[in-house]
Amino acid sequence: MDICLKCGAEPPLISQICHKCVRETVVISRLPEVLRMVDCKSCYSLKIPGTWLEFDSVESAVGHFFESSIIWHDNLSQQKTDLTLRQLDPSKYRVMAKTRANYGGLALESDLEQVVEIKYQVCQTCSRHAGGYYEAILQIRTKQKSVLDAAVEKVFKDIDSSPAEFFSTENGPVKGGFDFQLSSTERARALARELMIQFGGHVNETNSLVGRKDGRDLLRHTFGVRLPSFLVGDFLLIKEKVYQVTRLDRRKAKLKLMESPYTKKMVEIDTLRNPNILDDSLNVQIISSREDQFLLLDPYTHQTVEAVSPPNWNGKRVEALRFGNETFFIWN
Ligand SMILES: [Zn+2]
Ligand SMILES: [Zn+2]
């Protein structure tokens, strides 16, 4: 029969050692002799090999550093750590930790306590922020405010959801559009491309020499994004006919004729440089109808208008769009 190799006790055994001897001999966690970390003094990011990890406070950076420094015994599962931090001075924290883990079905605990020393530096992102660093300029240009607002909002959203190293040093409205100074050429190029895919239009990339580093030219890139004057869903008046924009992709717009026979066509956005964009549509009250003869109330003039519906129209709603002094009816 198996017995404990240390004391001769009978099973249950874990790796031929009884539970009592396991508790006396297995130490589940320990720490290196020195705990020294590098933290950014302005954003609390923790320096780890190759990069910086973002944290909201020194305490959370210290906690992460301490936990990731723990050296665990082999063959453990369900490791857990409870930390208590006490600041000794701005660059020293005493950390007490209760560690728990499962070893061969046995729950074991051990306490750790050590001082973490902090060396403060400034991370790359913070030093770039402070220095007004930027690699690229993204210029958004369009004649239509609604298009500009939507594009600018998209860029801000992208910056907000990106890691800290992608930021806008400066940004603001300029004549004809909006400019962003951005910290990454690569991200600026990707954003310009995404804007073009979402809103249509085209991108013009230029660069200028801003200096030399390590024997190579340093270039600053400018991405000029020219967007159309309309968005998907807008109504355009082309040669006295109303079209709705149903799709935009780079240089092409898909338009749907809003009267019978409701044909669709692709057009080059460049041919629609100064389109007549209709105001938002209003609902139309149908006064009476007889077959395809309708009496409608024009919501802009409050006058009744005789109109003929498209052939075999069995829709329910009529909408009105206004351009200049003229009202156009859309049969939905
Ligand atoms: Zn034993
Ligand atoms: Zn920082």
Side-chain angles (χ1 to χ4, degrees):
M1 194 177 80
D2 286 340
I3 53 165
C4 173
L5 293 179
K6 283 194 190 295
C7 72
E10 291 181 2
L13 306 175
I14 301 167
S15 302
Q16 295 191 297
I17 308 289
C18 75
H19 286 188
K20 182 172 155 285
C21 288
V22 164
R23 287 186 194 283
E24 283 168 8
T25 56
V26 174
V27 179
I28 57 168
S29 60
R30 59 193 178 87
L31 288 166
E33 282 190 10
V34 180
L35 288 181
R36 195 175 289 142
M37 58 178 260
V38 175
D39 209 41
C40 174
K41 66 181 172 194
S42 59
C43 76
Y44 310 123
S45 286
L46 172 68
K47 191 176 192 179
I48 58 165
T51 187
W52 293 79
L53 282 184
E54 290 176 43
F55 287 98
D56 295 336
S57 63
V58 185
E59 284 77 13
S60 52
V62 170
H64 177 89
F65 174 74
F66 187 93
E67 276 197 50
S68 57
S69 301
I70 294 173
I71 302 159
W72 293 94
H73 192 282
D74 290 336
N75 305 319
L76 297 178
S77 62
Q78 297 162 33
Q79 290 97 323
K80 286 199 181 66
T81 315
D82 286 321
L83 300 183
T84 311
L85 276 69
R86 196 150 51 84
Q87 190 182 44
L88 304 176
D89 65 50
S91 55
K92 274 202 188 92
Y93 278 81
R94 178 175 298 282
V95 183
M96 282 75 68
K98 279 203 180 308
T99 64
R100 281 167 291 160
N102 184 299
Y103 179 78
L106 204 58
L108 299 180
E109 287 186 11
S110 76
D111 290 343
L112 299 172
E113 180 173 343
Q114 197 152 320
V115 171
V116 175
E117 292 170 40
I118 305 165
K119 186 180 170 202
Y120 287 103
Q121 288 184 0
V122 178
C123 75
Q124 178 173 282
T125 301
C126 287
S127 67
R128 285 179 164 185
H129 259 299
Y133 177 93
Y134 67 102
E135 288 182 0
I137 304 169
L138 180 65
Q139 301 176 326
I140 303 174
R141 298 291 181 269
T142 170
K143 288 175 184 155
Q144 191 67 18
K145 192 179 175 302
S146 57
V147 177
L148 184 66
D149 290 348
V152 167
E153 192 190 324
K154 180 190 167 67
V155 175
F156 275 122
K157 261 195 190 145
D158 188 272
I159 294 168
D160 290 348
S161 62
S162 294
E165 68 256 24
F166 180 53
F167 57 86
S168 173
T169 321
E170 258 184 58
N171 55 69
V174 294
K175 191 169 179 290
F178 203 97
D179 280 4
F180 289 91
Q181 290 181 357
L182 298 173
S183 65
S184 157
T185 301
E186 210 176 300
R187 296 299 299 269
R189 183 179 287 122
L191 262 173
R193 212 181 114 78
E194 282 169 34
L195 288 171
M196 186 180 68
I197 289 169
Q198 182 175 342
F199 297 98
H202 42 89
V203 179
N204 183 29
E205 180 176 344
T206 56
N207 53 53
S208 57
L209 192 63
V210 290
R212 281 179 76 78
K213 193 185 178 187
D214 305 329
R216 284 195 301 165
D217 289 343
L218 268 185
L219 298 175
R220 178 163 294 150
H221 295 256
T222 299
F223 299 91
V225 183
R226 182 157 292 282
L227 301 177
S229 318
F230 43 83
L231 295 166
V232 168
D234 279 352
F235 292 98
L236 310 180
L237 187 65
I238 302 167
K239 291 179 187 152
E240 288 301 300
K241 288 191 186 302
V242 177
Y243 291 84
Q244 187 171 29
V245 182
T246 58
R247 208 158 75 87
L248 287 169
D249 189 1
R250 298 169 203 216
R251 295 180 183 222
K252 289 211 161 67
K254 193 169 193 180
L255 303 180
K256 181 185 175 191
L257 179 64
M258 293 311 288
E259 62 182 64
S260 184
Y262 295 97
T263 42
K264 291 175 183 172
K265 62 175 180 179
M266 295 290 281
V267 296
E268 294 281 333
I269 287 171
D270 283 351
T271 64
L272 302 168
R273 272 178 190 257
N274 294 300
N276 300 319
I277 301 169
L278 297 148
D279 295 335
D280 285 345
S281 63
L282 292 179
N283 263 320
V284 174
Q285 193 187 338
I286 299 171
I287 308 284
S288 65
S289 66
R290 191 170 172 182
E291 291 170 359
D292 62 353
Q293 302 293 316
F294 280 73
L295 200 58
L296 305 175
L297 184 68
D298 183 332
Y300 295 99
T301 62
H302 302 288
Q303 287 176 354
T304 52
V305 183
E306 286 177 11
V308 180
S309 73
N312 305 317
W313 184 69
N314 56 8
K316 293 205 168 53
R317 254 178 41 239
V318 182
E319 284 176 273
L321 295 159
R322 188 78 169 166
F323 189 80
N325 289 324
E326 220 176 329
T327 302
F328 297 87
F329 295 103
I330 306 286
W331 303 79
N332 286 315

